[in-house]
Amino acid sequence: MPSGNVLSYIVPMRDHIQLQINSDILKIRGQDAFLTLSDFLRRRRGLVGTKIVCSEGDCGSCSVLCGVVGDSGMQYQPIDSCIRFMFQLDGVHIVTVEGLKQNGELSCVQQAMVDCHGSQCGFCTPGFVVAMTALQQNRPANQPASESELREGLTGNLCRCTGYSSILEAGAVAAEQSDSASLVPAFELSPDARRVPIEVTATCGDAKHRVYSPTTVAEAVDFLSRHSEAEVKIVAGATDLGVQFNKGHIAPSDWLDLNRVAELEKCEIEDGCMVFGARATWTDVLLLAESTVPELYQVMKVFGSPQIRHVGTIGGNIINASPIADSLPFLFVCDAELTITSASGERTVNINEFYSGYKQMDLTKGELLTSIRVPLPPANRNLRLYKVSRRHDMDISTFTGAVWMELDGEQIANVGIAYGAVGPTVLRLKQTEEFLRGKSFTIETMTAAGDVAVKEITPITDVRGRSDYRFQLARNVLKKYYYQIEQEESQSVA
Amino acid sequence: MPSVGKTIPHDSATGHVTGAAPYLDDMPLRNDELLVGFVGSPVASGKLKNIDCSAATAIPGIVAIYTSHDVPHNKFGALFHDEPVLAENELLYVGQPVAIIAAETPEALATARKLVKIDYEETKPILSIDESLTAKRFIGPLRKIQRGDATSAIKSATHQLSGEFRIGGQEQFYLESQAAIAFPGEEGQLIVHSSTQNTTEIQVVVAEVLELGQHQVVCICKRMGGAFGGKESQAAIPALMAAIVASKTGRAARVIYTKDEDMCVTGGRHPYLVRWQVGFDDAGLIQGLRYEFYSDGGAAADLSTAVMERTMLHAENAYYISDIEIQGQVCFTNYPPNTAFRGFGGPQAVAAMENVVERIAGHLGEDAYDIRTRNVYGVDDRNVTPYGQLFTRNHLPEIFESLAESSDYKRRREEIAAFNAVDPMQLRGIAMTPVKFGISFTSKFLNQANALVNVYTDGTVQVSTGGTEMGQGLNTKIRQLTADELGVPYEDVLVMPTSTEKSNNTSPTAASAGTDLNGAAAVDACRKIKTRLAEFAASLLASVEDGLVPSPDHIVFENGIVFDQRKPAAKLEFGNLADRARRERVDLGARGFYKTPGVDYNRETGRGNPFLYYTQGAAVSEVLIDRFTGEMSVPRVDLLMDIGKSINPGVDMGQIAGGFIQGMGWATMECLIYDEAGKLLSHSPTTYKIPAITDTPLEFNCAMFPNEDNIHNIRRSKAVGEPPLLLGVSAWAAVRHALSHLTDDSSELDLTLPATGEEILRCITSLTQNGQADS
């Protein structure tokens, strides 16, 4: 019997998730639902081709294909199976490296990896094969992936042996072949099954686990209001929570999973604003930004990896409240507006007012971030975004920044500056902005602005860089901005 | 068709791409199997007072917890027996194994680990080479190699420079973390499956620690998911943990480190402090050079003294220096013992030498390439190394010239200078650095190998050696060599798992010499079988009646066919011959043996011939730097390697490209960051950044220098595993070249290694703050 909650009497609920792994259709209940996908594959299914190295989504060795029903049938994307929970996978088709052979023969990607010496020790190889297969799958026919697409498409996979050149060669050879792996989903959830919420529970020793997967925002906030006493972990992409779980930093007993809430997936331009549902993935955001805010596209293109961007969400980036979150300086200088929903209604808050300290924000129990509205930066704003990291791709930032200026001739008419990784929260540099307003746009002005900027920030020394490096970056980015705008103007004049 | 010289895919490639090639943790759990983990020291240095396991033992599913008291012989070590298996009285580094836990489930193991209470008294740790120098805490003796009188030569030279150069460490970052599974056998015997480069070492260490005879322990290694030196000696502790549990509980036991654990408790490439002093003339010709090398050995000897030895034997890199003095000392610190890592001390030597060359070039305002060509070893003279080995078959001058031309070095260098003079946003730099890597273990006794070859009656062949497969393609090459020697198709030969049961008293698969040694041993075994078969075949294929005296000398083994070359029409299939040979009681199995001829080195005197030959090469790297952030990329690399006659060009090219990128990672990117208490902070790929696919140069031209003169080695090939890594230094030197455009005298420019974005920006800032360059 359901535990005294009224709704569950009225609305039928499912107590399991259903998915397909390679050719097997499975119903998952109980403890298995709380395993990571990689553990389930290796421990429960004996599919040990999927390797675990880092357990944090940084190496891609555990990559599998995740097929989700889209506009044109199943769309397959690579994901990191080590940071995906089974309960997040209702209705999907998972294809592991073992499922890629075609009629018992190697697929063209597999064959190309063999022929081009794309494997040495072989431990990362299943992940590369999977990621490369996804690139192949998602290309229009007769349009082989370019080298840059291959490189960008494989940033989520680390190899320590090959130096990657043989893998790139294999990718190029495979791209020339038309017969990519045919991945056949054998089942589809019924509309009813898709509509009803899922609640899976499990008892493990003394511990009880529960996950609730609603299909609407109303169900989600209702669940939160009914369980205000519990520590409910809200999860969307799990690209951070999955890591914390694997490393033993969190062990939640109650989960609210947003993966089935379609209304949170919005990602479109509306009234001169980018409007995102909280669960819009970075892949979706990039697609929108490419044509509307190229600057955002350029900086978010190196956010995580394809595996991370396919599941990581903009809402997660905001609610994770990290001062090094890559999207935040942009959202700050654009005065993004957040919509927060609870059982008692909706409210909005400017992101500049949202954070109050390290991982502290204006969000109470029972509230859910549901959407983000970002006014499109006008063309005359000269927006530039900065991300400095130890490695160009797939790295957490040492420093982030967003700068825009409206110039009136030589004069700075208006300005917005936000920096990340230089304090407990992302910071809007109001004094620096004030200093710059009305000044002439020269390198001397920008150098002097650096003196103001460093007084507004309090960077620390950590594993990603020393504080003096961050101070210097805070100065230099303003100078770099000057030369970027200068160079662009001289080019446009020429 | 012979297979040697052909590009044949890695012999496990199909298994790799389908996920069907199993690694240790892919083996199904046996019913009784226990999962084994450990609890490590919470501090870098301290006195261990008590270990309370009571709460942890009480957790359901915990089968046993062992501390040093439970280990029969709690000492081991690759060179000196100075390392405890489990901490005894002293805590030596953060994470040092203190207690082993054997559990039924991963959940129980995770819970129990948090409940083991370690009571200790913290003492002041030594956390840098400088602190070790102050405290005079050293490992092993100070070693010296000396020729001529460096001090006077420097003094009387026209120019003198001196300084300190710091070189960072590096994590191997093999993808498969340390792993071992032990199965108990009859009468105290143990079978240990280990992800190790050295099955014999695991066998011996397990036997010693558990006080068993070596004959009671078998160590097996099918493959490793990467090793790079990190599993040469340091596979021992996890193997010991599994063996101790299996031996004491009588149950199978599995140890799989997580990546975080692995990075925190195993060692890597040694950080170095190098003090140098050089004297040179107006042309940049080096008159005298003095080096003091100090390496961070960590808290036990491990292989550190051998690593230092290789540093000293590569201190002059590719240059003839008449008067030279090289000192080397391993320092004790409270970090995990540093260990073998591809290059084995060579990379630090090359970096130190190229730093000196760059400084000389900066001082004279010359192209460093010209300084290099003036100092490079001669072909007919100026060709004796500081330790007295004649450097024969020197191809470096040709390689320099050929590479400078193919990479268009001089023109690009001019173009870069012009670019740097006007571009406000970016800096570019270019540099060529060479490598001359000595092949052979510097400990003479390790230069031996044995092999077992079994021919079956269908003509197929199994070959086993002490060499281990870590991705380098050793098994593929041994298959090729064996197939060709017996004249059978490549497909008819299989390389079997490495096991101490088949190959005893083996050397680690290391020093780039895996194929040289094990390949030669396999060929030796094949020859023994062939001699017997030729004798037998001669009697079948020729007869006095036909006018031919049966003669084994005329028997040819080719393409799976055996024939007498005087009467080639009469053929025997190899399988048929084998079957008939067995019926005539001809032995179809053989043990082969090989020892490298002529190598010997005396570390007391610093004199000898440690190497059979030198693998040579050079690389030109170009870098692009953001003047404001210090961020750097390597858009183009041209690389030329002399690796002799390649046994498998596809495999060897993989070693070249992969080795270079690993070296580039060390020289420009990878940073081990510790907190003030000596705890590693960069212990996973989130915080420790190895090169990603976008770091591979867009233009990456790797070529092999055509050379067939290496007559002393198997099939005239040369070892390839380590040497290309040392060329990664060219990217560091290119950064230095880029930065030299910000100053008039770059001899003062102090760029440490790795040249990370942070380090580059530090240099840019200090060079431009005096009113130069931007604004």
Side-chain angles (χ1 to χ4, degrees):
Chain A
M1 287 294 283
S3 54
N5 92 50
V6 183
L7 262 178
S8 56
Y9 287 109
I10 303 161
V11 182
M13 265 205 292
R14 267 200 282 151
D15 66 349
H16 63 272
I17 66 140
Q18 204 175 347
L19 82 165
Q20 183 181 343
I21 295 180
N22 297 332
S23 54
D24 299 332
I25 296 165
L26 307 169
K27 282 184 180 174
I28 309 294
R29 321 184 138 77
Q31 278 179 42
D32 285 356
F34 299 87
L35 289 176
T36 59
L37 172 57
S38 58
D39 276 350
F40 183 79
L41 293 173
R42 291 180 58 85
R43 281 156 63 175
R44 298 283 192 267
R45 306 295 300 172
L47 294 169
V48 293
T50 300
K51 307 298 180 208
I52 300 176
V53 176
C54 69
S55 303
E56 57 189 20
D58 252 85
C59 73
S61 300
C62 66
S63 299
V64 298
L65 290 174
C66 181
V68 178
V69 180
D71 301 334
S72 50
M74 275 280 185
Q75 299 269 301
Y76 290 90
Q77 301 286 17
I79 61 167
D80 291 319
S81 64
C82 73
I83 49 170
R84 198 79 181 150
F85 293 102
M86 288 304 291
F87 63 66
Q88 300 180 287
L89 296 171
D90 188 52
V92 309
H93 179 202
I94 297 295
V95 184
T96 70
V97 68
E98 289 92 346
L100 292 176
K101 273 196 175 182
Q102 299 295 300
N103 307 317
E105 302 282 315
L106 297 185
S107 73
C108 64
V109 165
Q110 288 172 319
Q111 191 61 52
M113 284 287 279
V114 169
D115 294 341
C116 299
H117 292 262
S119 73
Q120 284 184 23
C121 87
F123 212 77
C124 71
T125 311
F128 269 100
V129 167
V130 162
M132 218 182 263
T133 303
L135 279 176
Q136 187 96 332
Q137 288 279 319
N138 296 317
R139 298 288 312 168
N142 308 321
Q143 255 191 57
S146 66
E147 177 165 350
S148 66
E149 282 171 313
L150 276 171
R151 283 172 175 253
E152 287 167 13
L154 297 172
T155 54
N157 296 79
L158 291 178
C159 169
R160 188 55 150 171
C161 294
T162 61
Y164 305 101
S165 42
S166 58
I167 294 173
L168 286 165
E169 204 184 309
V173 168
E176 289 296 329
Q177 333 248 319
S178 50
D179 60 326
S180 64
S182 62
L183 311 168
V184 189
F187 91 121
E188 202 177 316
L189 284 177
S190 71
D192 277 349
R194 268 186 258 146
R195 208 158 32 229
V196 299
I198 298 174
E199 185 170 296
V200 187
T201 56
T203 309
C204 176
D206 297 335
K208 284 192 169 31
H209 295 283
R210 168 171 58 186
V211 61
Y212 180 69
S213 288
T215 60
T216 65
V217 169
E219 286 167 356
V221 294
D222 177 68
F223 178 84
L224 286 176
S225 73
R226 284 185 290 112
H227 297 89
S228 52
E229 81 293 346
E231 276 298 331
V232 177
K233 198 52 105 177
I234 303 170
V235 57
T239 54
D240 189 58
L241 291 182
V243 180
Q244 293 190 44
F245 177 85
N246 285 339
K247 307 271 160 153
H249 302 318
I250 57 165
S253 47
D254 260 300
W255 296 91
L256 172 63
D257 167 48
L258 301 178
N259 271 283
R260 301 173 67 235
V261 186
E263 62 193 291
L264 293 177
E265 285 173 32
K266 187 169 187 172
C267 183
E268 57 193 46
I269 304 292
E270 203 177 81
D271 306 331
C273 289
M274 302 172 99
V275 181
F276 304 113
R279 204 171 66 73
T281 66
W282 289 107
T283 301
D284 299 335
V285 175
L286 273 179
L287 215 58
L288 187 70
E290 189 170 9
S291 55
T292 52
V293 191
E295 273 291 314
L296 179 64
Y297 176 75
Q298 286 305 330
V299 79
M300 294 316 290
K301 201 167 73 163
V302 296
F303 174 95
S305 63
Q307 285 89 329
I308 296 295
R309 294 194 298 267
H310 292 321
V311 292
T313 66
I314 186 169
N317 207 231
I318 293 169
I319 294 300
N320 193 34
S322 167
I324 49 179
D326 282 348
S327 69
L328 293 187
F330 166 75
L331 296 175
F332 269 60
V333 298
C334 290
D335 286 297
E337 196 174 75
L338 311 180
T339 302
I340 313 280
T341 307
S342 66
S344 52
E346 272 184 9
R347 65 185 177 96
T348 59
V349 55
N350 184 312
I351 196 162
N352 284 281
E353 316 297 325
F354 188 59
Y355 301 104
S356 53
Y358 181 68
K359 297 250 174 187
Q360 301 296 309
M361 65 201 128
D362 175 13
L363 191 76
T364 56
K365 251 185 175 177
E367 286 188 321
L368 196 64
L369 170 68
T370 44
S371 75
I372 303 100
R373 178 175 286 265
V374 191
L376 282 171
N380 67 346
R381 278 215 160 166
N382 300 307
L383 174 72
R384 290 291 177 278
L385 302 179
Y386 303 93
K387 172 184 165 93
V388 179
S389 48
R390 282 194 184 276
R391 186 172 68 198
H392 183 260
D393 281 278
M394 189 63 197
D395 198 0
I396 293 172
S397 300
T398 304
F399 175 92
T400 58
V403 182
W404 63 260
M405 285 185 192
E406 285 170 8
L407 297 175
D408 183 5
E410 292 294 294
Q411 214 178 42
I412 301 167
N414 204 358
V415 54
I417 302 172
Y419 282 173
V422 292
T425 67
V426 170
L427 298 170
R428 190 75 182 254
L429 271 62
K430 294 193 177 136
Q431 289 165 43
T432 312
E433 290 176 3
E434 188 53 42
F435 171 86
L436 284 166
R437 247 174 238 121
K439 294 258 179 0
S440 60
F441 185 57
T442 62
I443 188 64
E444 289 76 21
T445 303
M446 296 306 277
T447 306
D451 293 337
V452 183
V454 294
K455 292 200 182 76
E456 292 194 77
I457 60 175
T458 54
I460 57 165
T461 291
D462 65 12
V463 69
R464 299 192 176 85
R466 288 153 46 120
S467 63
D468 52 1
Y469 182 37
R470 293 186 163 113
F471 272 122
Q472 196 61 46
L473 289 169
R475 292 175 182 275
N476 287 9
V477 153
L478 294 171
K479 291 200 239 177
K480 182 174 179 177
Y481 179 83
Y482 171 81
Y483 284 112
Q484 283 177 311
I485 302 300
E486 275 289 286
Q487 207 165 56
E488 192 166 291
E489 282 188 359
S490 65
Q491 272 162 12
S492 66
V493 170
Chain B
M1 290 294 282
S3 62
V4 168
K6 276 202 198 139
T7 284
I8 292 175
H10 192 285
D11 87 331
S12 292
T14 302
H16 292 158
V17 301
T18 54
Y23 300 78
L24 274 192
D25 199 26
D26 301 337
M27 286 169 70
L29 280 172
R30 213 168 84 163
N31 275 341
D32 68 338
E33 194 154 333
L34 293 169
L35 304 176
V36 180
F38 66 96
V39 180
S41 167
V43 290
S45 175
K47 298 259 172 284
L48 181 57
K49 292 167 85 176
N50 186 43
I51 308 166
D52 180 1
C53 303
S54 52
T57 312
I59 299 294
I62 296 302
V63 174
I65 301 183
Y66 301 119
T67 64
S68 65
H69 306 295
D70 303 302
V71 183
H73 178 79
N74 192 38
K75 274 272 186 279
F76 77 105
L79 300 176
F80 310 108
H81 278 45
D82 66 336
E83 198 174 342
V85 181
L86 295 174
E88 245 172 72
N89 304 311
E90 259 190 307
L91 296 170
L92 292 166
Y93 56 90
V94 175
Q96 181 194 5
V98 172
I100 311 173
I101 306 177
E104 303 275 6
T105 64
E107 291 77 17
L109 182 59
T111 311
R113 290 168 84 147
K114 292 179 195 150
L115 298 175
V116 172
K117 289 196 199 84
I118 300 172
D119 189 13
Y120 59 91
E121 184 187 315
E122 201 168 351
T123 52
K124 191 175 168 3
I126 294 175
L127 293 175
S128 66
I129 291 173
D130 303 72
E131 286 175 26
S132 153
L133 289 175
T134 308
K136 298 199 167 48
R137 287 285 304 277
F138 301 126
I139 293 171
L142 174 77
R143 295 282 186 199
K144 251 187 208 189
I145 296 174
Q146 197 168 356
R147 174 171 65 193
D149 183 350
T151 308
S152 336
I154 295 167
K155 214 166 166 187
S156 57
T158 318
H159 306 273
Q160 291 88 20
L161 288 170
S162 63
E164 281 191 355
F165 180 51
R166 285 175 196 274
I167 301 169
Q170 186 182 23
E171 160 65 38
Q172 287 91 357
F173 207 87
Y174 33 75
L175 277 263
E176 181 203 30
S177 297
Q178 302 279 358
I181 305 177
F183 298 110
E186 294 173 38
E187 297 174 39
Q189 297 168 34
L190 282 172
I191 297 169
V192 182
H193 291 260
S194 167
S195 183
T196 178
Q197 290 170 252
N198 192 348
T199 47
T200 289
E201 171 111 343
I202 299 299
Q203 176 201 23
V204 170
V205 165
V206 167
E208 280 177 4
V209 166
L210 290 170
E211 295 178 340
L212 298 171
Q214 291 178 16
H215 66 312
Q216 291 175 288
V217 182
V218 174
C219 176
I220 302 169
C221 176
K222 170 61 188 166
R223 64 167 60 77
M224 287 166 271
F228 314 114
K231 296 171 180 173
E232 182 172 343
S233 61
Q234 299 208 348
I237 290 187
L240 284 166
M241 290 179 180
I244 289 167
V245 170
S247 150
K248 289 191 168 283
T249 62
R251 295 172 63 172
R254 179 177 301 216
V255 174
I256 310 291
Y257 280 12
T258 64
K259 187 46 71 191
D260 303 77
E261 277 170 353
D262 190 299
M263 291 184 71
C264 284
V265 307
T266 66
R269 192 183 302 289
H270 296 67
Y272 270 58
L273 164 65
V274 188
R275 297 196 175 126
W276 57 274
Q277 237 182 316
V278 65
F280 50 98
D281 67 12
D282 287 330
L285 204 64
I286 297 171
Q287 312 290 312
L289 179 60
R290 282 195 76 244
Y291 274 129
E292 290 169 30
F293 289 106
Y294 300 100
S295 71
D296 181 340
D302 198 272
L303 296 163
S304 293
T305 51
V307 169
M308 178 55 84
E309 190 161 279
R310 189 164 277 273
T311 301
M312 295 170 70
L313 292 169
H314 287 77
E316 87 290 11
N317 192 15
Y319 312 111
Y320 176 75
I321 300 164
S322 59
D323 293 79
I324 186 164
E325 184 187 329
I326 306 152
Q327 297 190 11
Q329 175 69 63
V330 179
C331 298
F332 173 95
T333 60
N334 287 105
Y335 292 119
N338 280 315
T339 188
F341 189 163
R342 200 176 192 173
F344 205 76
Q348 294 93 330
V350 168
M353 188 65 231
E354 297 308 327
N355 176 55
V356 170
V357 171
E358 290 285 332
R359 300 241 183 174
I360 293 171
H363 185 79
L364 298 172
E366 293 223 36
D367 182 347
Y369 173 79
D370 297 330
I371 306 299
R372 291 185 171 103
T373 52
R374 282 169 210 157
N375 282 287
V376 72
Y377 271 108
V379 175
D380 299 316
D381 59 352
R382 305 174 70 251
N383 57 0
V384 179
T385 65
Y387 43 90
Q389 176 157 5
L390 185 67
F391 175 23
T392 56
R393 301 183 183 85
N394 173 10
H395 297 291
L396 287 167
E398 296 163 81
I399 289 172
F400 276 33
E401 203 177 323
S402 168
L403 184 62
E405 198 182 308
S406 67
S407 67
D408 203 8
Y409 172 85
K410 285 281 176 187
R411 189 196 56 75
R412 283 163 66 203
R413 193 172 183 278
E414 280 170 30
E415 187 190 295
I416 283 168
F419 173 90
N420 288 340
V422 297
D423 196 279
M425 311 262 299
Q426 293 176 315
L427 276 172
R428 289 163 61 193
I430 188 169
M432 175 194 285
T433 64
V435 64
K436 162 186 143 289
F437 198 81
I439 303 302
S440 293
F441 288 96
T442 57
S443 293
K444 180 180 174 181
F445 81 95
L446 292 175
N447 294 296
Q448 58 172 318
N450 62 68
L452 174 68
V453 173
N454 287 334
V455 173
Y456 296 91
T457 52
D458 61 353
T460 59
V461 182
Q462 286 184 344
V463 52
S464 308
T465 74
T468 52
E469 176 64 43
M470 60 196 94
Q472 83 280 42
L474 172 69
N475 287 358
T476 317
K477 289 182 177 179
I478 286 182
R479 239 176 122 173
Q480 290 175 271
L481 290 165
T482 303
D484 280 20
E485 196 59 39
L486 293 174
V488 299
Y490 173 81
E491 295 72 24
D492 287 356
V493 178
L494 282 180
V495 180
M496 304 310 288
T498 312
S499 164
T500 54
E501 208 170 354
K502 291 173 289 181
S503 301
N504 62 333
N505 311 330
T506 56
S507 299
T509 307
S512 302
T515 305
D516 291 14
L517 298 173
N518 296 290
V523 165
D524 181 52
C526 292
R527 285 186 182 151
K528 288 180 182 171
I529 297 171
K530 237 167 77 169
T531 303
R532 295 177 209 142
L533 280 175
E535 184 86 27
F536 176 62
S539 66
L540 301 177
L541 291 166
S543 66
V544 181
E545 289 80 47
D546 298 339
L548 295 173
V549 179
S551 159
D553 293 346
H554 287 103
I555 300 299
V556 178
F557 294 75
E558 211 174 77
N559 298 332
I561 301 292
V562 183
F563 60 91
D564 187 316
Q565 66 194 165
R566 295 167 300 179
K567 202 177 80 177
K571 292 179 165 78
L572 274 174
E573 279 186 16
F574 184 79
N576 183 258
L577 175 66
D579 189 36
R580 291 168 69 173
R582 181 188 176 227
R583 287 168 192 284
E584 292 303 320
R585 299 187 295 176
V586 175
D587 182 3
L588 294 176
R591 157 103 163 190
F593 184 74
Y594 174 77
K595 57 181 176 179
T596 312
V599 292
D600 205 358
Y601 175 68
N602 183 334
R603 54 182 63 111
E604 303 295 333
T605 60
R607 284 282 176 284
N609 285 326
F611 304 122
L612 182 63
Y613 61 89
Y614 296 94
T615 295
Q616 302 157 43
V620 175
S621 288
E622 181 177 337
V623 299
L624 180 65
I625 291 169
D626 183 314
R627 289 185 190 236
F628 303 100
T629 63
E631 289 169 294
M632 190 272 282
S633 61
V634 184
R636 175 170 173 184
V637 170
D638 296 76
L639 187 155
L640 184 59
M641 285 295 300
D642 163 24
I643 57 160
K645 256 181 100 174
S646 174
I647 291 172
N648 186 328
V651 164
D652 286 341
M653 200 48 101
Q655 290 297 297
I656 292 173
F660 177 85
I661 296 296
Q662 217 172 64
M664 189 185 92
W666 165 66
T668 65
M669 185 183 280
E670 297 174 35
C671 280
L672 292 162
I673 314 269
Y674 297 85
D675 71 8
E676 288 164 0
K679 185 174 181 292
L680 183 67
L681 299 174
S682 50
H683 51 72
S684 71
T686 306
T687 44
Y688 184 80
K689 310 315 277 190
I690 68 167
I693 198 163
T694 43
D695 296 311
T696 294
L698 276 170
E699 200 175 340
F700 192 16
N701 305 311
C702 295
M704 295 180 192
F705 179 82
N707 175 21
E708 303 194 352
D709 71 4
N710 198 30
I711 50 173
H712 297 304
N713 199 42
I714 183 88
R715 295 298 206 120
R716 300 194 174 204
S717 67
K718 283 191 175 188
V720 65
E722 292 162 289
L725 184 140
L726 286 72
L727 296 177
V729 170
S730 61
W732 175 88
V735 170
R736 218 177 172 288
H737 174 244
L739 295 173
S740 73
H741 291 96
L742 301 175
T743 170
D744 294 331
D745 179 3
S746 68
S747 68
E748 296 298 311
L749 171 60
D750 206 1
L751 177 73
T752 62
L753 185 150
T756 60
E758 180 169 359
E759 171 64 5
I760 292 170
L761 190 64
R762 186 190 65 78
C763 290
I764 293 176
T765 308
S766 75
L767 290 170
T768 55
Q769 257 168 3
N770 306 325
Q772 294 179 33
D774 77 297
S775 72

